[in-house]
Short mmCIF file of all heavy atoms in Angstrom, two decimals:
data_model
loop_
_atom_site.label_atom_id
_atom_site.label_comp_id
_atom_site.label_asym_id
_atom_site.label_seq_id
_atom_site.Cartn_x
_atom_site.Cartn_y
_atom_site.Cartn_z
N SER B 204 -3.43 35.76 13.10
CA SER B 204 -3.66 37.13 12.67
C SER B 204 -5.11 37.54 12.93
O SER B 204 -6.01 37.14 12.22
CB SER B 204 -3.35 37.26 11.17
OG SER B 204 -4.05 36.26 10.46
N LEU B 211 -3.63 25.67 6.20
CA LEU B 211 -2.93 25.07 5.06
C LEU B 211 -3.44 23.64 4.89
O LEU B 211 -3.44 22.87 5.85
CB LEU B 211 -1.42 25.07 5.30
CG LEU B 211 -0.56 24.40 4.23
CD1 LEU B 211 -0.67 25.13 2.90
CD2 LEU B 211 0.89 24.34 4.68
N GLY B 242 4.39 16.18 1.59
CA GLY B 242 4.91 16.70 2.84
C GLY B 242 5.97 17.77 2.65
O GLY B 242 5.99 18.78 3.37
N ASP B 247 7.66 23.61 2.94
CA ASP B 247 8.12 24.81 2.25
C ASP B 247 7.05 25.90 2.29
O ASP B 247 7.34 27.06 2.60
CB ASP B 247 8.46 24.47 0.79
CG ASP B 247 9.61 23.47 0.70
OD1 ASP B 247 10.32 23.31 1.72
OD2 ASP B 247 9.78 22.85 -0.36
N ASP B 255 -1.87 29.07 10.76
CA ASP B 255 -2.12 28.74 12.16
C ASP B 255 -2.34 27.24 12.32
O ASP B 255 -1.93 26.65 13.32
CB ASP B 255 -3.35 29.50 12.66
CG ASP B 255 -3.18 31.01 12.53
OD1 ASP B 255 -2.15 31.52 13.01
OD2 ASP B 255 -4.04 31.66 11.91
N THR B 276 6.38 21.03 13.54
CA THR B 276 6.26 21.32 14.96
C THR B 276 7.61 21.58 15.61
O THR B 276 7.68 22.09 16.72
CB THR B 276 5.58 20.15 15.69
OG1 THR B 276 6.31 18.96 15.44
CG2 THR B 276 4.15 19.98 15.20
N ALA B 277 8.68 21.23 14.89
CA ALA B 277 10.01 21.52 15.43
C ALA B 277 10.23 23.02 15.52
O ALA B 277 11.13 23.48 16.21
CB ALA B 277 11.07 20.87 14.55
N VAL B 288 -0.64 21.18 13.95
CA VAL B 288 -0.86 20.19 12.91
C VAL B 288 -2.01 19.26 13.31
O VAL B 288 -1.99 18.66 14.38
CB VAL B 288 0.40 19.34 12.66
CG1 VAL B 288 0.11 18.25 11.63
CG2 VAL B 288 1.54 20.23 12.20
N VAL B 290 -3.80 15.95 12.02
CA VAL B 290 -3.69 14.84 11.07
C VAL B 290 -5.09 14.39 10.65
O VAL B 290 -5.98 14.25 11.49
CB VAL B 290 -2.92 13.67 11.69
CG1 VAL B 290 -3.00 12.44 10.81
CG2 VAL B 290 -1.47 14.07 11.92
N ASP B 295 -7.16 4.23 11.03
CA ASP B 295 -7.11 4.47 12.47
C ASP B 295 -6.33 3.37 13.17
O ASP B 295 -6.70 2.91 14.23
CB ASP B 295 -8.53 4.57 13.04
CG ASP B 295 -9.32 3.28 12.81
OD1 ASP B 295 -8.82 2.42 12.07
OD2 ASP B 295 -10.41 3.17 13.36
N GLY B 310 -3.90 17.19 16.70
CA GLY B 310 -5.17 16.51 16.56
C GLY B 310 -5.06 15.35 15.60
O GLY B 310 -4.10 15.23 14.84
N PRO B 317 -17.77 14.36 9.97
CA PRO B 317 -18.74 15.26 9.34
C PRO B 317 -18.23 16.70 9.31
O PRO B 317 -17.34 17.08 10.07
CB PRO B 317 -19.98 15.13 10.22
CG PRO B 317 -19.52 14.49 11.48
CD PRO B 317 -18.29 13.71 11.17
N ARG B 342 -8.24 4.07 21.01
CA ARG B 342 -7.04 3.31 20.64
C ARG B 342 -5.81 3.86 21.35
O ARG B 342 -4.91 3.12 21.70
CB ARG B 342 -6.82 3.40 19.13
CG ARG B 342 -7.94 2.79 18.32
CD ARG B 342 -7.37 1.91 17.24
NE ARG B 342 -8.43 1.27 16.49
CZ ARG B 342 -8.30 0.11 15.89
NH1 ARG B 342 -7.15 -0.52 15.95
NH2 ARG B 342 -9.28 -0.43 15.22
N ALA B 351 3.89 -1.50 27.76
CA ALA B 351 4.98 -2.39 28.14
C ALA B 351 5.11 -3.54 27.16
O ALA B 351 6.09 -4.26 27.17
CB ALA B 351 4.75 -2.93 29.55
N GLU B 358 13.30 -7.52 17.69
CA GLU B 358 12.13 -8.37 17.51
C GLU B 358 11.31 -7.90 16.31
O GLU B 358 10.86 -8.71 15.48
CB GLU B 358 11.26 -8.36 18.78
CG GLU B 358 11.87 -9.12 19.95
CD GLU B 358 11.27 -8.73 21.27
OE1 GLU B 358 10.38 -7.85 21.30
OE2 GLU B 358 11.69 -9.30 22.30
N LEU B 364 11.01 -9.51 8.68
CA LEU B 364 11.55 -10.40 7.66
C LEU B 364 10.70 -11.66 7.55
O LEU B 364 10.48 -12.18 6.46
CB LEU B 364 13.00 -10.75 8.00
CG LEU B 364 13.98 -9.59 7.86
CD1 LEU B 364 15.38 -10.00 8.29
CD2 LEU B 364 14.00 -9.07 6.43
N ALA B 366 7.60 -11.80 8.01
CA ALA B 366 6.39 -11.40 7.29
C ALA B 366 6.63 -11.43 5.78
O ALA B 366 5.70 -11.63 5.01
CB ALA B 366 5.95 -10.02 7.74
N GLU B 367 7.87 -11.22 5.38
CA GLU B 367 8.19 -11.25 3.96
C GLU B 367 8.23 -12.68 3.42
O GLU B 367 8.38 -12.90 2.23
CB GLU B 367 9.54 -10.60 3.69
CG GLU B 367 9.73 -9.22 4.27
CD GLU B 367 8.89 -8.19 3.54
OE1 GLU B 367 8.46 -8.49 2.41
OE2 GLU B 367 8.67 -7.10 4.09
N HIS B 388 13.77 -14.48 19.42
CA HIS B 388 13.11 -13.19 19.16
C HIS B 388 11.66 -13.41 18.77
O HIS B 388 10.77 -12.68 19.23
CB HIS B 388 13.85 -12.45 18.05
CG HIS B 388 15.17 -11.92 18.48
ND1 HIS B 388 15.34 -11.11 19.57
CD2 HIS B 388 16.41 -12.07 17.96
CE1 HIS B 388 16.62 -10.80 19.70
NE2 HIS B 388 17.29 -11.38 18.74
N LEU B 389 11.44 -14.42 17.95
CA LEU B 389 10.07 -14.68 17.53
C LEU B 389 9.21 -15.11 18.72
O LEU B 389 8.07 -14.66 18.87
CB LEU B 389 10.06 -15.77 16.44
CG LEU B 389 10.47 -15.28 15.05
CD1 LEU B 389 10.48 -16.44 14.07
CD2 LEU B 389 9.54 -14.19 14.57
N ARG B 391 9.54 -14.36 21.85
CA ARG B 391 9.22 -13.19 22.68
C ARG B 391 8.16 -12.34 22.01
O ARG B 391 7.27 -11.80 22.66
CB ARG B 391 10.49 -12.38 22.94
CG ARG B 391 11.53 -13.14 23.73
CD ARG B 391 12.79 -12.31 23.90
NE ARG B 391 12.58 -11.08 24.66
CZ ARG B 391 12.63 -11.02 25.98
NH1 ARG B 391 12.88 -12.10 26.67
NH2 ARG B 391 12.44 -9.88 26.60
N ARG B 401 3.99 -18.08 14.00
CA ARG B 401 4.51 -16.96 13.24
C ARG B 401 3.44 -16.30 12.39
O ARG B 401 3.41 -15.06 12.27
CB ARG B 401 5.68 -17.43 12.38
CG ARG B 401 5.29 -18.50 11.40
CD ARG B 401 6.44 -19.45 11.07
NE ARG B 401 7.48 -18.87 10.24
CZ ARG B 401 8.70 -18.63 10.69
NH1 ARG B 401 9.01 -18.87 11.94
NH2 ARG B 401 9.61 -18.14 9.90
N ALA B 404 1.31 -14.13 14.46
CA ALA B 404 2.06 -12.97 14.89
C ALA B 404 2.10 -11.90 13.80
O ALA B 404 1.92 -10.72 14.06
CB ALA B 404 3.49 -13.38 15.26
N ALA B 408 0.44 -8.35 14.33
CA ALA B 408 1.31 -7.17 14.28
C ALA B 408 0.85 -6.21 13.20
O ALA B 408 0.88 -4.99 13.35
CB ALA B 408 2.76 -7.59 14.04
N ARG B 410 -2.20 -5.91 12.14
CA ARG B 410 -3.45 -5.30 12.60
C ARG B 410 -3.15 -4.12 13.53
O ARG B 410 -3.81 -3.09 13.50
CB ARG B 410 -4.29 -6.34 13.34
CG ARG B 410 -5.72 -5.90 13.62
CD ARG B 410 -6.44 -6.90 14.47
NE ARG B 410 -5.90 -6.96 15.81
CZ ARG B 410 -6.11 -6.03 16.75
NH1 ARG B 410 -6.86 -5.00 16.47
NH2 ARG B 410 -5.59 -6.14 17.95
N GLY B 412 -0.55 -2.35 13.41
CA GLY B 412 0.23 -1.35 12.70
C GLY B 412 1.69 -1.35 13.08
O GLY B 412 2.39 -0.37 12.85
#
Side-chain angles (χ1 to χ4, degrees):
Chain B
S204 52
L211 177 63
D247 297 343
D255 301 308
T276 56
V288 176
V290 171
D295 60 351
R342 298 226 178 209
E358 287 161 359
L364 291 177
E367 308 289 342
H388 288 306
L389 283 178
R391 296 177 63 86
R401 60 210 288 112
R410 192 186 68 75

